[in-house]
Amino acid sequence: MNTERSDHGISRVGQVKEVTSLANPIIKEIRALSQKKHRDETHSFMAEGLKLVIDALDLGWKIRTLVYAKAAKGKPQVDEVAARTIAKGALVLEVSEKVISTITRRDNPQMVVGIFEQRYRALKDIHPQEGETYVALDRVRDPGNLGTIIRTADAAGASGVILLGDATDPYSLETVRATMGSVFAVPIARASAEDFIKWQKSAGVRVVATHLAGSVDYRTVDYRSKPVVLLMGNEQAGLPVELAREAGALARIPQSGRADSLNLAIATGIMLFEARRHLLTLDAG
Ligand code: SAM
């Protein structure tokens, strides 16, 4: 794809623009995506890496801007992804390595970055089916934990992640990085604790809440007879009484040693794969 320099440090041929200046307004816009306020206002977010961008396009995510480093130009996959982006009427920017490393805040940046439209599923539109497992996270604070949980939910075949209350942003750069691409594969919903309590009463689910003072061993819970929602507590405060008392089971993962509790993402992973083990046993038998 050829580009030609024009005004303001931007060049255009077709819809590919060459950008060399960090002061360029489009680059400033993209850099502003590091702030939650700007992500919320524009309903967009950034994902790094050619594979992620291809996966996202394959899964039907709406791309707004594709950015690639000049050094990546001419690589067949990069050209193809640029052509797909243009075909969707979105913008393609060819930039210097300095620009892409500033956008991504990395010294060794990925050569390709995509700006996508955010997606949330409304809780009322979630109708869990037999054999499905969901994760609900109460006020999850840590972006790394949330990204790891989304990635693990994907790997465990879970059907979605529900964020309750004031959660960290699933579309922050740090969370998206930690998902390793699973942010495009796992539906995400947001709800207040009150709306979640109302929803779970009518959705035909079993809520399995996890608590350090849980009354049952997590291995003995019934994960089979209804779709399951694994309810996990906040990193510092754990699960509040209002949520815990609504659950169909209050499960604990027995621990040894001196640690008070497990890391939230680890505890969620253990629960997800335990639920999966029960469901796979059901499939087999
Ligand atoms: N100080 C918090 C408390 O007292 O609950 C610790 C919260 S822990 C870091 C975060 C969440 O991970 C918990 O709310 C619970 O959902 C889950 N969790 C961690 N360890 C667990 C265990 N041994 N059994 C059940 N759930 C656990």
Side-chain angles (χ1 to χ4, degrees):
M1 235 166 278
N2 292 323
T3 54
E4 278 172 16
R5 174 98 21 131
S6 70
D7 52 353
H8 310 305
I10 302 180
S11 319
R12 305 168 189 224
V13 162
Q15 286 102 326
V16 179
K17 297 177 184 179
E18 188 181 328
V19 181
T20 49
S21 164
L22 286 174
N24 179 276
I26 307 171
I27 299 302
K28 280 187 170 170
E29 276 264 308
I30 294 174
R31 287 176 70 183
L33 288 175
S34 61
Q35 298 154 28
K36 182 172 185 310
K37 185 169 172 280
H38 192 70
R39 289 194 299 274
D40 287 349
E41 281 166 8
T42 58
H43 306 288
S44 54
F45 70 104
M46 187 192 317
E48 303 153 278
L50 179 62
K51 183 184 174 298
L52 251 67
V53 172
I54 293 172
D55 284 354
L57 290 175
D58 288 348
L59 288 167
W61 283 69
K62 190 167 174 194
I63 191 161
R64 290 189 168 159
T65 308
L66 177 78
V67 183
Y68 65 82
K70 210 175 176 122
K73 184 181 171 179
K75 295 198 169 145
Q77 279 189 310
V78 175
D79 282 354
E80 193 189 323
V81 111
R84 286 176 77 179
T85 305
I86 289 168
K88 289 178 186 301
L91 189 64
V92 177
L93 304 179
E94 184 184 304
V95 303
S96 61
E97 195 159 328
K98 182 170 172 220
V99 168
I100 208 157
S101 91
T102 306
I103 290 172
T104 57
R105 297 159 171 247
R106 278 190 192 242
D107 290 339
N108 291 310
Q110 295 276 354
M111 291 285 114
V112 176
V113 166
I115 313 300
F116 291 90
E117 191 171 293
Q118 296 183 7
R119 269 190 201 171
Y120 285 101
R121 184 165 292 182
L123 195 55
K124 66 176 175 47
D125 295 336
I126 298 182
H127 306 288
Q129 304 296 308
E130 193 186 329
E132 284 191 333
T133 304
Y134 289 78
V135 176
L137 303 171
D138 175 45
R139 295 163 298 154
V140 56
R141 296 307 312 157
D142 184 87
N145 274 347
L146 177 55
T148 304
I149 290 169
I150 292 170
R151 178 181 179 186
T152 310
D154 184 17
S159 301
V161 171
I162 302 165
L163 304 177
L164 305 181
D166 185 18
T168 192
D169 184 2
Y171 293 114
S172 71
L173 192 54
E174 201 180 345
T175 303
V176 170
R177 266 181 197 155
T179 72
M180 299 293 286
S182 293
V183 71
F184 295 114
V186 178
I188 298 170
R190 286 180 297 189
S192 64
E194 297 73 32
D195 285 348
F196 173 75
I197 290 168
K198 280 187 215 142
W199 170 82
Q200 60 107 5
K201 284 182 177 147
S202 60
V205 294
R206 177 184 307 283
V207 175
V208 179
T210 55
H211 205 286
L212 301 182
S215 51
V216 290
D217 184 309
Y218 77 112
R219 291 164 291 195
T220 65
V221 171
D222 173 10
Y223 296 96
R224 296 175 168 189
S225 53
K226 285 181 181 177
V228 163
V229 180
L230 302 171
L231 176 57
M232 312 298 300
N234 165 269
E235 289 97 333
Q236 271 79 45
L239 206 59
V241 179
E242 308 83 78
L243 279 168
R245 71 173 169 228
E246 301 292 335
L250 207 54
R252 94 180 169 280
I253 304 166
Q255 294 182 205
S256 314
R258 289 170 53 90
D260 293 343
S261 64
L262 294 165
N263 161 276
L264 170 63
I266 299 284
T268 309
I270 291 172
M271 294 301 293
L272 275 164
F273 277 91
E274 182 65 11
R276 179 182 162 90
R277 189 176 72 77
H278 287 246
L279 290 166
L280 291 179
T281 312
L282 179 68
D283 282 351

